[in-house]
Amino acid sequence: AYERICRFFARRSDSVVVSVGYRLAPEHPYPTQFEDCLTASIHFMKAAQDYGVDPSRVTVCGDSSGGTLAAAVAQALANRTDVPKLRAQILIYPFLQAVDFNLPSYQQNKRVPLLLKDRTIAYGLKYLNIDLSAIKAVSEGCHVPENLQLKYQKWVSADYIPHEFKRRGYKPTTTRPFSEEHPALEVVFDPVFSPLLAEDSVIARLPETFILTCELDVLRDDGLLYKKRLDDHGIKVTWRHLQEGFHGTILLAFWGRLIAFQS
């Protein structure tokens, strides 16, 4: 599915592109996917010159859940001294947090293809091998303990989303009481799964970043909130927003003979 995109990036940017064939869930449980990506990244960075690559110019990139993995790898490498520092990270409409599924972008785009709100939550639960009966609790925010609600509200809040992104409609939601019915949900707060929840000491050491968001995407606000955190720590961020874009735009753009769309 992605070979055509990777070849395009390699040609147009005159770069060496390595696509990591990480093992997939559910046969290989989380966090195997992150561990595979991290292992491959470290190997490549240590052997970069063998591939004709300058070790100081290595970038990680991913879209959607691949953007989650790229962000998590960048965080894991931030404090390491045995490999060169990453040159940059490229995050294309990434999934970055599992705390609030009622941000403006989730409310506005919950029924917009290709990534519906309930489908986003279901994919995450399947990835973590958690029973899908937890969808309702997660959708309403009942999976977040009170102490973590207080901690994460400084990073995950509709208050940090610019007003221009609320014009299509946004209704503030009240915090629902925490439910202990699904104790396995604690894993969703792991920064490997939710990179937006990484501590400030990690965020402050991240490399220059490119973030792409799409207006018609439930994950739009994840990108906006991550941009704010990076900006707050003085990390250089290049942000591009596709006003007519939707989740999966990059992938579908390479099938232009079959489907055409504005962005």
Side-chain angles (χ1 to χ4, degrees):
Y2 279 85
E3 181 175 347
R4 185 181 298 190
I5 297 174
C6 291
R7 288 180 177 275
F8 175 83
F9 285 167
R11 288 195 309 269
R12 293 293 293 268
S13 63
D14 192 24
S15 301
V16 172
V17 173
V18 178
S19 181
V20 182
Y22 56 85
R23 290 168 289 176
L24 303 179
E27 292 82 4
H28 301 280
Y30 167 91
T32 301
Q33 299 69 32
F34 162 73
E35 293 168 349
D36 284 355
C37 289
L38 181 61
T39 298
S41 299
I42 291 172
H43 167 76
F44 183 77
M45 295 174 80
K46 289 183 174 179
Q49 291 179 327
D50 295 342
Y51 297 94
V53 171
D54 180 347
S56 68
R57 299 182 65 189
V58 176
T59 297
V60 291
C61 172
D63 80 324
S64 193
S65 57
T68 315
L69 292 168
V73 166
Q75 292 182 2
L77 295 174
N79 293 313
R80 292 186 66 132
T81 58
D82 59 329
V83 291
K85 184 176 175 61
L86 280 176
R87 173 64 183 85
Q89 59 176 341
I90 297 172
L91 310 178
I92 301 171
Y93 37 74
F95 173 92
L96 297 172
Q97 61 85 29
V99 171
D100 190 346
F101 291 92
N102 288 291
L103 292 168
S105 61
Y106 272 103
Q107 292 190 20
Q108 296 163 2
N109 303 308
K110 61 184 178 182
R111 295 186 181 90
V112 175
L114 300 170
L115 191 62
L116 313 184
K117 174 182 174 177
D118 286 349
R119 185 177 297 172
T120 304
I121 298 173
Y123 285 160
L125 295 176
K126 281 178 172 288
Y127 178 34
L128 298 171
N129 199 27
I130 296 174
D131 191 275
L132 295 186
S133 62
I135 288 180
K136 186 174 187 294
V138 173
S139 178
E140 295 178 351
C142 301
H143 65 302
V144 188
E146 284 81 359
N147 63 317
L148 293 183
Q149 289 176 3
L150 292 173
K151 177 180 180 179
Y152 295 145
Q153 67 183 7
K154 61 182 177 181
W155 301 329
V156 185
S157 171
D159 294 343
Y160 303 135
I161 303 299
H163 178 70
E164 64 191 275
F165 295 103
K166 299 176 182 177
R167 290 173 182 163
R168 287 198 294 122
Y170 168 65
K171 183 178 180 180
T173 55
T174 56
T175 303
R176 298 295 186 100
F178 172 61
S179 170
E180 297 181 355
E181 187 178 349
H182 303 282
L185 290 171
E186 290 181 5
V187 68
V188 306
F189 309 126
D190 182 348
V192 169
F193 186 80
S194 295
L196 184 59
L197 306 184
E199 297 295 333
D200 288 338
S201 58
V202 174
I203 299 294
R205 296 183 63 84
L206 289 175
E208 183 177 348
T209 302
F210 175 93
I211 297 176
L212 177 74
T213 55
C214 292
E215 178 63 25
L216 306 175
D217 181 7
V218 291
L219 301 184
R220 180 197 68 200
D221 293 349
D222 283 24
L224 296 179
L225 292 172
Y226 206 50
K227 175 184 180 297
K228 181 183 185 303
R229 286 206 70 190
L230 294 166
D231 284 339
D232 288 347
H233 286 278
I235 307 299
K236 182 179 179 182
V237 179
T238 300
W239 170 56
R240 293 290 179 268
H241 183 67
L242 298 180
Q243 190 63 34
E244 303 294 332
F246 52 90
H247 197 84
T249 288
I250 297 296
L251 185 62
L252 287 181
F254 285 82
W255 300 96
R257 293 180 181 178
L258 302 178
I259 184 173
F261 47 90
Q262 181 71 29
S263 58

